[in-house]
Amino acid sequence: MGRFLALASRFVMAPIGLGFVLLTTPATVWAQVSAPTSEPALKVDISQLTAEERADLLSRLSDEQVRDLMLAYMSGQAEPKSQETMILNEVHEEISLFRERFGKRLTHVGELSTVPRFVYAKLSEGKGPYHPLVVFGIFIGITLVAYAVERGYRQGARRIYEGLALPEDAELLRRLGRLLAKLSLDLIGVAIFAAAILGVFLLLYHGHEATRLTVMTLLTALLIVRVASTVSQFFFAPSSGDLRIAPFDDESATRIHRWIVAATAVTAFGLLACGLMLRFGLAPVLHELLLDMVGAVLVITLIAGTLRVRKAVIAVLLSQIEGHGHAHRLLGSLASSWHVAFIGYILFLFFLSTYKDVIGEQSATYPGLLSLLIVISIPAADFFLRSLLDHVMPATQEEGLRKSVSAAPVFKRAARILLLILALFLIGRVWGVNFFALGQESLGEEIMRALVDIALTLLVAYVVWGAIKAALARYLPSEGDEAEHGVDEGGGAGATRLETIMP
């Protein structure tokens, strides 16, 4: 009787089990089963299945079917695939992964409303309902005390600050030297401010972890803003027009300085606050959404600031363009649309950072910010170098006629080329791109080295040629000299020899 029941159960349960497999196995699997039942193996591309789907399928197949599937998979893997196909497959997989993960992240947007209650609960835990107000009161009190201490330092150094004043027509190097001295004094003031913050905080801290972390986070962000403001004052000197070396008027310099401070405040307070909440135990998905919000606010701030100062920057860029002709017009058009390129670069960095964060690659937030700082520093470095070369190699004035006998224009162009190369290299390093390694892989090490040598040789030859040309031009007679001394069309013997040498 028992054997009869066992045999009957096999005939009953086998169809049920087969039906269960058919119902639970994903449709994408059975859609690829093209072999008839007479064939010994299932033709299923298990590489297209997720880990869960593979485990579910293999657990329901016989040993022979599993073996056939693995043989088919291994034979398919042995088939060579083109590099283009592999790249397209990787791109498709990354895009699909981004859409899936970003969609899941968006489903938690409604939970952001719980973040304030979460922070309030952490700050008031074990301290009472009004303790969050006490925390912010401690932050404001420490800040005011630190400002008072720094104010006392500045009052003591008032005479030194007053001694840095210069007339409006002072030369560049003198203004630069005074600005460096002022920057040193300002940094000492910031250091005193930081020391006062630390001292007062240590006196007030009583061991509440959430209070300690919150106050230190806010004070750290404030110090970052103070340092950025000090550096910005060095470049734009909004309150010291006599020391300003940047070619902006008072209104434009003040406006640029304020937007720099605003963007730094959004970055510092936003990022550090997100890190603080993550340390409190906030869900990672909400932390990621908050970071996206901080990035969006920063992008909006940068775009608004760019549009506010675009006219002043365009005027400065146009004043720095030398020469004439088609090149001058092309550079003028580029300078007039600098804000379009800058806004596009900001948006590109934002979307790239978001994309890399969503798919789980290394965070692109900090590389994006560093790249932005590098791009912003290029015009400042170019202006400094050009002004320094104008001071070191000035052109001469002869009897009311300007005679350019300086090699400064050549060195300016060479310096600008080197700055662009350096910026490109630094941005590549920030994003983990080694151009030399790329060159070795694609062109070969010897060819890459030869190209670098050729480029450097051409650049050096250009600079040397410009210097020689400027030196020889000192001895060639100008048109005014020819008219004054009655030089005939053939010119003097010395002039003829020099004119023959020049080409």
Side-chain angles (χ1 to χ4, degrees), residues 155-319:
Q155 286 292 331
R158 182 179 56 184
R159 291 187 179 181
I160 302 178
Y161 275 102
E162 293 175 352
L164 297 177
L166 282 174
E168 292 287 345
D169 57 349
E171 61 181 6
L172 175 68
L173 288 184
R174 290 189 64 193
R175 283 183 287 162
L176 181 59
R178 299 294 177 88
L179 267 180
L180 288 173
K182 183 177 181 298
L183 176 64
S184 301
L185 294 173
D186 290 342
L187 290 178
I188 293 175
V190 174
I192 293 175
F193 178 82
I197 282 177
L198 182 60
V200 177
F201 177 75
L202 292 177
L203 291 176
L204 295 178
Y205 172 57
H206 297 292
H208 190 240
E209 182 71 8
T211 301
R212 182 180 67 85
L213 292 176
T214 302
V215 174
M216 287 304 298
T217 298
L218 296 176
L219 293 176
T220 302
L222 180 62
L223 281 176
I224 294 174
V225 175
R226 286 296 313 279
V227 173
S229 176
T230 302
V231 175
S232 176
Q233 288 177 352
F234 169 76
F235 284 105
F236 299 102
S239 59
S240 304
D242 56 326
L243 299 180
R244 187 181 307 126
I245 55 179
F248 294 101
D249 54 32
D250 292 345
E251 181 181 359
S252 299
T254 302
R255 186 178 299 169
I256 294 175
H257 170 72
R258 289 176 178 173
W259 280 108
I260 291 176
V261 173
T264 306
V266 170
T267 305
F269 281 95
L271 294 181
L272 292 180
C274 290
L276 173 67
M277 286 182 279
L278 183 63
R279 189 165 181 177
F280 280 168
L282 185 69
V285 64
L286 296 181
H287 172 257
E288 294 168 354
L289 285 171
L290 289 176
L291 285 177
D292 293 339
M293 292 177 60
V294 172
V297 174
L298 177 60
V299 167
I300 294 173
T301 303
L302 290 174
I303 291 176
T306 300
L307 295 177
R308 285 284 293 170
V309 304
R310 63 185 179 87
K311 292 183 179 180
V313 176
I314 288 174
V316 171
L317 292 177
L318 291 177
S319 66

Side-chain angles (χ1 to χ4, degrees), residues 32-44:
Q32 300 177 60
V33 181
S34 58
T37 56
S38 60
E39 293 185 2
L42 292 174
K43 294 185 178 180
V44 179

